[in-house]
Amino acid sequence: PVEAPVLTHLPIRHTCSVNLTCRGHDLSITSSCYKETCEKKEVTSPGGVTLSLSVRGSSIICNHSNPVSWKEDVLEMGELKQVCADEGEVNGEQTEMEQ
């Protein structure tokens, strides 16, 4: 069986973008999302182990699989929307302070 992958996200300051990292065993994928649009990626090791990052409905899926098993970690799009909302509040506060 494969080990459970780990999907992490890091907001990029002053944008609605987020960097994503999907890790499983000795494989790693880095991608990015802008608002709700995410770049899909996939990598396969010579031994047939695959790590993929994709979107299904309102979820971002990090899937770690081999020919006989798979496991995934999921991030909901709502968490990315919050990043954009937080940036809007920060920008609004900065505008008020500049006046």
Side-chain angles (χ1 to χ4, degrees):
V2 294
E3 66 183 45
V6 177
L7 176 59
T8 56
H9 66 285
L10 181 66
I12 302 169
R13 285 183 58 85
H14 307 300
T15 70
C16 288
S17 299
V18 175
N19 282 335
L20 301 171
T21 302
C22 173
R23 287 191 178 91
H25 191 55
D26 59 349
L27 299 174
S28 179
I29 296 174
T30 301
S31 186
S32 61
C33 295
Y34 176 72
K35 295 187 179 179
E36 292 183 38
T37 304
C38 301
E39 185 182 7
K40 299 176 185 178
K41 289 195 175 179
E42 182 175 287
V43 63
T44 303
S45 74
V49 176
T50 300
L51 190 66
S52 65
L53 191 60
S54 61
V55 176
R56 185 169 58 225
S58 63
S59 302
I60 301 165
I61 313 291
C62 172
N63 186 293
H64 187 209
S65 63
N66 64 22
V68 296
S69 70
W70 61 271
K71 291 185 180 173
E72 61 186 30
D73 194 6
V74 179
L75 175 67
E76 294 302 322
M77 286 284 191
E79 294 186 48
L80 301 186
K81 287 181 186 174
Q82 186 59 47
V83 168
C84 211
D86 289 347
E87 288 295 337
E89 290 171 14
V90 168
N91 289 340
E93 288 173 8
Q94 288 176 341
T95 302
E96 290 172 14
M97 288 176 10
E98 289 172 2
Q99 293 176 351

